[in-house]
Amino acid sequence: MSRELFVYDPPERFVAGTVGLPGHRTFYLQAADGGRITSVALEKEQVEALAERLDDLLDEVVRRSGGAAPVPAIAPLELADDKPLEQPVFEEFRVAALALAWDGETQRVVIEAMAPMEGGGEPPLGDMEADGPPTMVVRLTGAQARAFTTRAKAVVSAGRPPCPFCSLPLDPEGHVCPRANGYRRRAA
């Protein structure tokens, strides 16, 4: 079977979002560019893991480059995206596997979201030439990736009170604000 690819290099917009009420929400990754939109459904835990691992990857890129990589420490305010998902949301597929990489040649983060394999088995992540299930491939600048992680973390923790300075949800373990010189506050 020929692999159906949804490639965004780079997208005009790439966000995590939800449809539905808390407790009954469906989580989505949505990429948009030039009038086309791709939405893929996934679990809350997958969104959370993607955001955490993406932050870790970006931090490692900065560390290994000695700060020379085009990756900001925090998301630029001008890239903040608090708009809802584009409606109506048409689910292309449910994500079975996510892959994440840094392309040093193009200085971009590559995110792959893949549907389940027919008949089970491991999807061929990273091999776009191989036959396989539908896959969304998104290539982001370091700044776009930081902005994505900020929103994704907020989507996952919806319902927690926001920080008065950066509007990120306060973590029950405590919050160190990136915009207020280390302002710390424990969530109530």
Side-chain angles (χ1 to χ4, degrees):
M1 129 179 134
S2 178
R3 180 184 295 232
E4 184 175 13
L5 292 175
F6 304 91
V7 179
Y8 292 85
D9 185 12
E12 289 174 7
R13 184 174 193 227
F14 180 62
V15 294
T18 62
V19 173
L21 298 172
H24 302 286
R25 297 183 295 173
T26 302
F27 287 77
Y28 290 95
L29 296 179
Q30 189 177 75
D33 186 37
R36 74 186 174 110
I37 300 168
T38 303
S39 302
V40 297
L42 68 171
E43 298 298 322
K44 176 181 179 178
E45 293 78 16
Q46 289 174 298
V47 175
E48 187 171 37
L50 177 60
E52 289 173 10
R53 292 201 173 75
L54 184 51
D55 260 344
D56 291 345
L57 173 69
L58 295 171
D59 292 345
E60 183 66 14
V61 167
V62 169
R63 187 188 69 72
R64 286 188 181 197
S65 74
V71 176
I74 60 173
L77 287 174
E78 65 271 12
L79 293 181
D81 185 344
D82 60 354
K83 295 181 287 187
L85 295 173
E86 296 291 332
Q87 299 292 324
V89 175
F90 294 109
E91 180 181 316
E92 293 293 338
F93 58 86
R94 181 157 284 279
V95 175
L98 289 163
L100 183 61
W102 175 258
D103 181 343
E105 189 174 307
T106 63
Q107 301 289 291
R108 298 268 197 261
V109 170
V110 181
I111 300 170
E112 293 179 18
M114 191 172 296
M117 292 286 291
E118 284 185 24
E122 287 294 313
L125 291 168
D127 186 359
M128 294 299 113
E129 301 300 318
D131 288 343
T135 303
M136 180 168 68
V137 180
V138 180
R139 298 175 65 82
L140 304 170
T141 65
Q144 287 175 312
R146 286 284 189 208
F148 170 82
T149 63
T150 299
R151 175 174 172 139
K153 289 176 182 179
V155 165
V156 166
S157 58
R160 294 184 189 157
C163 169
F165 298 106
C166 70
S167 299
L168 289 174
L170 293 173
D171 189 305
E173 302 298 317
H175 172 73
V176 177
C177 179
R179 295 211 162 70
N181 292 328
Y183 166 81
R184 271 186 196 276
R185 176 171 169 203
R186 292 197 57 78

